[in-house]
Amino acid sequence: MKKRNKVRILSIDGGGIRGIIPATVLVYMESEIQKATGNPEARLGEYLDMVVGTSTGAILAALLLVPGTNGKPKYTAQEALDFYAKHGEEIFNKSKIRGLIGQLSKASKFSEKNLERLFAEKLGDKTLDKLLKPCLITSYNMGAGAAVFFNSRETKPGMKDFLLRDVLRSTSAAPTYFDPKFISVNGKKMVNLDGGVFANNPAMCAYAECRGTKFDNWEDATNPNKPFPTAKNMLMLSLGTGGGYIDLEKAHKAKGWGLLTWAKKTPDIMMDGGLDTVNYQVKKLFESLEHEEDRKNFKRVDFPKQASGGPPPYAADMSDARAQNIQRLKTAGGMALEDACTAKPGEHTLDKFIELLIDES
């Protein structure tokens, strides 16, 4: 069997309920693959070699790769979208900590009980190593003061792997939104926060992980002895969640902000601050490649900045799961799709990218 020259990588940002934007893109991609292959049962996860996600992006990654009874991905991309569209109210609005005493005694806005129940319902006792393709999920261990990269291919013989639902709770434990996740496995105790505190856009993590991963049925066409892929061997799609629109009303008065105001604003600033930086870094990596077609093999898809410079149609708040905002996020996902499918100099359209994913299957 001829080995593939490219490895296919999907990276998905964090962003809470705004995960509806990349999920809308995933639904389109899966539908187009089904049309192109003539297989209505085709799943997007089957056309990827590695998926990397932070927070809401990690939840989408897991739903794309968790196995069903037939060895294929259990959930469709539409079901991944429905996780947010149908359950956002439970995760956020209905989980809000109420009452003056509760609000004063808790630093987090929401109870994690509904989120954990949904993870248990969707994933059961599946462990991280059971995911169908290599998957990397980011988190931050407060106990060790270090970044954590949950890797689905790092299980050691005789050691228990992490429950997938615990990993997802870890990566989605955004400061001031949900409490940290406590995990104890193989004698290790972890106190984990949302990976968005250091890698809300995990595309560079995806690149680095890919550079040290051995992929089945892959081979560099010009150097068969090459052990690991480099940028020229990668097809990387990076999906954003419409970040970059933090509500910093009266930012010009920040010098006079008190501790409470800074406490409210800092998590969002931290999580959104690095999005464009990482995108710039990865784009520059690919732009350094010799051949133009290889330079096009990194694509970023996100809600397009408006020419007017005005705010987006959806709420900047990552926890706004009101029905009207969910609909606005779906509309924003459609706008991201339209932009991604529009031809631009030096870029593949999303449709061309999907075609390449299929060609490398």
Side-chain angles (χ1 to χ4, degrees):
M1 181 183 292
K2 183 181 178 181
K3 294 188 176 181
R4 293 181 289 104
N5 185 49
K6 303 287 186 186
V7 290
R8 302 158 299 178
I9 308 159
L10 174 64
S11 171
I12 314 176
D13 291 9
I17 195 65
R18 298 198 315 254
I20 286 173
I21 294 174
T24 301
V25 176
L26 298 177
V27 170
Y28 175 82
M29 292 178 68
E30 188 165 275
S31 174
E32 291 301 297
I33 287 172
Q34 290 169 351
K35 291 176 188 176
T37 61
N39 178 11
E41 299 301 317
R43 297 285 181 267
L44 176 57
E46 298 174 286
Y47 292 82
L48 301 169
D49 298 305
M50 174 181 282
V51 186
V52 177
T54 289
S55 192
T56 200
I59 295 170
L60 289 170
L63 292 174
L64 290 179
L65 298 179
V66 69
T69 54
N70 58 0
K72 291 170 66 72
K74 182 175 182 179
Y75 298 109
T76 65
Q78 181 62 54
E79 287 170 321
L81 171 58
D82 288 345
F83 181 85
Y84 296 92
K86 293 183 178 179
H87 300 297
E89 179 80 7
E90 296 171 66
I91 295 170
F92 294 111
N93 297 13
K94 290 185 178 178
S95 297
K96 196 162 189 176
I97 294 172
R98 313 284 178 181
L100 181 61
I101 294 176
Q103 291 175 7
L104 290 175
S105 63
K106 293 279 288 182
S108 301
K109 299 177 188 176
F110 307 101
S111 166
E112 65 277 6
K113 290 181 180 178
N114 284 342
L115 184 60
E116 291 185 345
R117 175 181 56 77
L118 287 166
F119 285 159
E121 289 175 3
K122 298 291 184 184
L123 306 168
D125 291 330
K126 287 282 193 306
T127 49
L128 184 64
D129 62 311
K130 295 299 187 293
L131 292 178
L132 294 169
K133 299 289 180 70
C135 183
L136 189 76
I137 294 173
T138 64
S139 186
Y140 183 86
N141 182 0
M142 294 174 65
V148 177
F149 298 95
F150 289 104
N151 190 323
S152 67
R153 295 297 184 265
E154 278 190 350
T155 307
K156 296 178 181 178
M159 298 183 74
K160 292 194 297 184
D161 202 0
F162 296 97
L163 287 170
L164 189 53
R165 63 176 188 252
D166 288 344
V167 172
L168 296 186
R169 251 289 283 135
S170 295
T171 190
S172 56
T176 76
Y177 287 85
F178 293 105
D179 285 347
K181 176 61 179 176
F182 293 78
I183 296 179
S184 180
V185 65
N186 298 320
K188 289 184 178 180
K189 292 184 178 180
M190 308 173 77
V191 185
N192 294 334
L193 288 177
D194 192 320
V197 299
F198 72 93
N200 209 31
N201 176 348
M204 185 60 81
C205 300
Y207 171 81
E209 189 65 24
C210 185
R211 288 284 285 109
T213 300
K214 289 189 176 182
F215 292 91
D216 295 336
N217 199 31
W218 169 81
E219 182 179 272
D220 186 298
T222 59
N223 182 7
N225 295 319
K226 190 176 182 178
F228 303 113
T230 54
K232 75 170 189 173
N233 306 117
M234 300 179 193
L235 285 168
M236 184 185 294
L237 181 65
S238 172
L239 302 183
T241 57
Y245 296 95
I246 309 171
D247 181 12
L248 294 178
E249 186 181 357
K250 300 179 181 177
H252 61 285
K253 296 184 178 180
K255 187 176 180 180
W257 284 358
L259 184 61
L260 183 59
T261 302
W262 275 110
K264 289 179 178 178
K265 303 294 185 184
T266 298
D268 288 343
I269 293 172
M270 289 176 60
M271 290 186 178
D272 262 10
L275 296 177
D276 290 340
T277 301
V278 171
N279 187 53
Y280 172 84
Q281 292 167 335
V282 180
K283 191 173 181 181
K284 286 296 180 182
L285 276 171
F286 278 79
E287 286 178 352
S288 70
L289 297 175
E290 180 180 358
H291 299 293
E292 182 181 0
E293 288 305 299
D294 290 335
R295 294 196 290 270
K296 294 179 182 179
N297 287 339
F298 169 70
K299 185 168 183 65
R300 174 74 169 172
V301 177
D302 202 353
F303 178 76
K305 300 287 184 183
Q306 300 302 287
S308 65
Y314 50 86
D317 183 356
M318 294 184 291
S319 64
D320 189 340
R322 294 172 299 165
Q324 59 266 44
N325 194 50
I326 285 175
Q327 187 54 52
R328 288 169 183 162
L329 286 165
K330 289 181 178 180
T331 300
M335 294 171 72
L337 268 175
E338 183 179 359
D339 182 68
C341 292
T342 300
K344 301 181 184 72
E347 292 186 27
H348 287 315
T349 64
L350 181 59
D351 289 323
K352 177 61 178 179
F353 206 93
I354 294 168
E355 180 184 321
L356 293 172
L357 294 182
I358 296 170
D359 288 345
E360 289 291 338
S361 63

